[in-house]
Amino acid sequence: MLAAAGRLTGVARRTPLLEDPFLNEQAGRRVLVKAECLQKTGSFKFRGAWNRLSALQGEARIRGVVAFSSGNHAQGVAYAAHLQEMPAVIVMPKDAPAAKIGATRRYGAEVVLYDRLTEDRAAIARRFAEERGMTLVPPFEDPFIIAGQGTVGLEIAEQAHEAGATQAEVLVNASGGGLASGIALALAERAPGLTVRTVEPAGFDDWARSLEAGAIRTNHAVGGSIQDALMSPSPGLLPFAIGRRAFGPGLAVGDEEALRAMAVAFARLKIVLEPGGAASLAAALFRREALQGEAVVVVASGGNVDPALFARALASGA
């Protein structure tokens, strides 16, 4: 983790931990918002991508990388590859937000679109890796990715201490679990009074069900939520091995709650969130009875949202 922090120093942004008195009043406790939506490429994913690509050497750097993602990992890998002058192929669902597809292409990556209902994105990515000799960069099932995302936790530990919040639940939007598991590892070392809890879309709560069962559970649906960044079918094996020991019970929020949280974030904190990036804030606002303590840390993980959907969020009211 410290090695990852060293690689990211001077490259990734140290994002702020924001607080607003009106938001605290609305949530019924202190709410400290880690604004990873202000990270390069608009999400925390740049951290893990930079750390992973930085570890490649020789011929691997010349041949480049391939990744699969609904958008944020795609942009993180594409931009990290651009900065490190590597070729990149990104496999994305054709129904991914247009803003995410467009941004990935603008970073210089070759975008390959697939149908998430009928095609296997991992199989497509593996084919490119085999045919072109590229390195597969998974979104969460990789120690370098987890360590890179874990630098968010190192920053939270310092910033929460400075804010006087040494005992709190840390709400982390979870798909495969790379961010949540990385943060948990960092907090275990630097801030043991802070406990990670996952937040997912209602109907796609594989983390919550897996943590309750003590074994990995899978979602049956593959689409149907506007929280597109959080729809991995099941927890990653490596993140779950970490999370089953370190996480508190999982939480889930509905799409309309995520939209309302987006409106609150814009009105109170002046930040732009995508639905999946706002799920943790929605949990702080609308799952108050499920939380403990006088303070909660919310990881606002991404802000890559299409204008029309953001307008819909603002219309939902703050």
Side-chain angles (χ1 to χ4, degrees), residues 44-45 68-72 93-97 100 114 116-117 119 121 139-140 173-177 199-207 209 217-236 253-255 274-277 279 301 309:
F44 71 95
K45 289 288 191 177
F68 52 86
S69 165
S70 65
N72 288 334
K94 63 184 181 182
D95 61 349
K100 295 182 178 182
Y114 76 99
R116 73 166 85 222
L117 297 179
E119 296 180 284
R121 64 181 188 172
F140 47 81
N173 304 315
S175 182
V199 185
E200 304 167 278
F204 297 87
D205 59 343
D206 47 289
W207 267 104
R209 291 183 288 110
R217 297 292 183 259
T218 301
N219 297 321
H220 297 295
V222 296
S225 172
I226 61 172
Q227 300 174 63
D228 62 283
L230 306 181
M231 292 198 297
S232 177
S234 61
V253 298
D255 284 353
E274 62 188 274
S301 55
L309 185 55

Side-chain angles (χ1 to χ4, degrees), residues 30-86:
R30 291 185 73 188
V31 180
L32 305 174
V33 179
K34 179 63 169 168
E36 275 296 292
C37 54
L38 301 178
Q39 186 54 257
K40 290 180 178 178
T41 73
S43 88
F44 71 95
K45 289 288 191 177
F46 176 74
R47 297 174 184 260
W50 180 269
N51 193 48
R52 183 66 186 89
L53 269 60
S54 296
L56 298 178
Q57 302 293 327
E59 186 69 19
R61 299 184 67 85
I62 296 172
R63 293 183 178 275
V65 296
V66 59
F68 52 86
S69 165
S70 65
N72 288 334
H73 180 60
Q75 292 174 80
V77 172
Y79 189 47
H82 169 73
L83 293 178
Q84 299 191 40
E85 300 182 337
M86 295 184 200

Side-chain angles (χ1 to χ4, degrees), residues 230-293:
L230 306 181
M231 292 198 297
S232 177
S234 61
L237 295 175
L238 184 53
F240 186 70
I242 297 167
R244 67 182 301 177
R245 301 190 306 270
F247 296 172
L251 300 162
V253 298
D255 284 353
E256 292 303 316
E257 292 171 320
L259 289 172
R260 290 169 60 192
M262 291 166 64
V264 170
F266 185 72
R268 301 303 184 195
L269 302 173
K270 311 308 177 189
I271 58 175
V272 174
L273 299 180
E274 62 188 274
S280 52
L281 179 57
L285 294 172
F286 309 122
R287 298 293 180 272
R288 292 169 52 172
E289 72 287 348
L291 303 177
Q292 298 180 357

Side-chain angles (χ1 to χ4, degrees), residues 1 150-155 157 181-191:
M1 193 85 59
T151 60
V152 177
L154 295 177
E155 293 176 14
S181 58
I183 289 176
L185 290 174
L187 296 180
E189 291 291 327
R190 297 299 182 90

Side-chain angles (χ1 to χ4, degrees), residues 7 30 116-117 126 133 159 171 179 192 254 288 313:
R7 295 188 189 101
R30 291 185 73 188
R116 73 166 85 222
L117 297 179
R126 285 194 297 270
Q159 294 167 319
L171 307 185
L179 176 63
R288 292 169 52 172

